[in-house]
Amino acid sequence: MTWADFVLLFAAGIGGGLAGSIAGLASVSTYPALLMVGLPPVTANVTNTAALVFNTFGSVRGSLPELAGQGPQLKRLVPMGALGGLAGAVLLLSIPSEGFENAVPILLAVAAVAIALPRGKDTGVAPTLARTILRAVIVGVICVYGGFFGAAAGVLLLALFLRTGGTTLAHANATKNVVLGASNGTAAVVFAIVAPVHWPAVAAMGVGCLIGSRLGPIVVRHAPATPLRLLIAVAGLALAVKLGLDTYH
C-alpha cells in the first residue's frame, strides 16, 4: 500500500463513520475504497467489517444522551445482534468467493433502496410480548446479513427501530449503533482469527471511522437526516449499477 492509499482509506473512514453513524450505510464509502486500493472482494469485505468496529466506539460515545434508559431493551437486542454477526461471518467463510462477488451488486442495490425508505411513525401502541420477540428475531436476521456483508445492515436496523420502537430518529439511531456494534464486533473477531483481514488498511480506515462516527450522532441530534439519507441512497444505487456491469459482463 502506498501513502496515497492510506490517505484514501483514512478519508473514506471519516466519510463512512459519519454516514454510518447517521444513516447506517458506512460501507457505501468504505467498501469501494478498499476495492480501489486493490483488495479482492472477500478480503475487502472482512477488512471493512474489522475497520467498522471503530465506528462503534465513536458512535456510541456520541449517542450517550439518547442511550439513557435504553438498558432493558439493549439487554434483549445486543445478544441477538452478536449471534447474528457470528452466523453471518461463518456463512461468508463457507461459500465460494465467486458467489460473494456475484451477490455484491444485488446487496448494494438492496442497501440503496432500504436507506431511501421513509421513517416510520409512532403508533402509540405498547409492544406485546409476541411483538417484542418478533422484533428481536428480526434484529438477529438483519445482523446475520450484517456479518455476511456490512452494507445496509445499519439502515435496516434503523428502519426497524423507527417503525417498532416509537422513538425519535436520534434515539433509534443510538440503539442501532449499539446493536450493529455487537454484530460487527463478533464478526470481526471471527475474521481476525480465520479470514484474510488486511490490517494496515484496518488501521488507516479505522482511525477515520473513529473520527467520523464521533461526529455523526451530533449531526443527527441537530439536523434533519432525510436529504443526506437520500443522497447516500443515490450514491449506493449508482455504485451497485457500476459493480453489476463490471461483474456480469
Side-chain angles (χ1 to χ4, degrees):
M1 288 179 60
T2 66
W3 281 107
D5 292 335
F6 277 98
V7 171
L8 172 64
L9 294 178
F10 174 73
I14 293 177
L18 190 60
S21 57
I22 292 175
L25 201 56
S27 295
V28 163
S29 170
T30 56
Y31 180 73
L34 292 166
L35 295 178
M36 288 177 64
V37 300
L39 298 187
V42 172
T43 301
N45 187 47
V46 298
T47 300
N48 185 56
T49 298
L52 291 183
V53 171
F54 288 86
N55 267 12
T56 303
F57 297 115
S59 61
V60 172
R61 177 64 182 84
S63 300
L64 289 180
E66 288 78 21
L67 288 172
Q70 292 205 42
Q73 76 161 342
L74 289 176
K75 288 179 181 178
R76 296 189 298 269
L77 298 178
V78 167
M80 295 301 295
L83 289 174
L86 174 63
V90 172
L91 177 63
L92 174 66
L93 297 176
S94 302
I95 67 170
S97 60
E98 293 81 5
F100 175 76
E101 293 175 27
N102 291 335
V104 165
I106 298 173
L107 295 174
L108 275 175
V110 171
V113 172
I115 198 172
L117 294 175
R119 57 167 296 187
K121 296 182 179 180
D122 185 2
T123 61
V125 178
T128 62
L129 177 61
R131 183 185 174 107
T132 300
I133 293 174
L134 177 61
R135 185 179 188 229
V137 171
I138 295 174
V139 165
V141 172
I142 293 174
C143 289
V144 171
Y145 167 70
F148 178 79
F149 183 63
V155 177
L156 297 174
L157 286 173
L158 184 59
L160 174 68
F161 295 147
L162 282 171
R163 286 165 173 74
T164 62
T167 58
T168 65
L169 176 61
H171 284 81
N173 188 61
T175 309
K176 176 265 296 178
N177 289 337
V178 175
V179 175
L180 187 61
S183 174
N184 283 342
T186 305
V189 169
V190 175
F191 295 152
I193 297 172
V194 299
V197 176
H198 194 289
W199 292 109
V202 170
M205 182 169 283
V207 174
C209 284
L210 187 62
I211 295 172
S213 62
R214 180 63 180 85
L215 299 174
I218 299 174
V219 174
V220 173
R221 192 175 299 130
H222 297 290
T226 299
L228 177 60
R229 191 178 73 237
L230 294 178
L231 178 62
I232 295 173
V234 171
L237 187 59
L239 177 63
V241 171
K242 182 184 182 302
L243 290 179
L245 293 175
D246 292 342
T247 301
Y248 305 131
H249 287 80

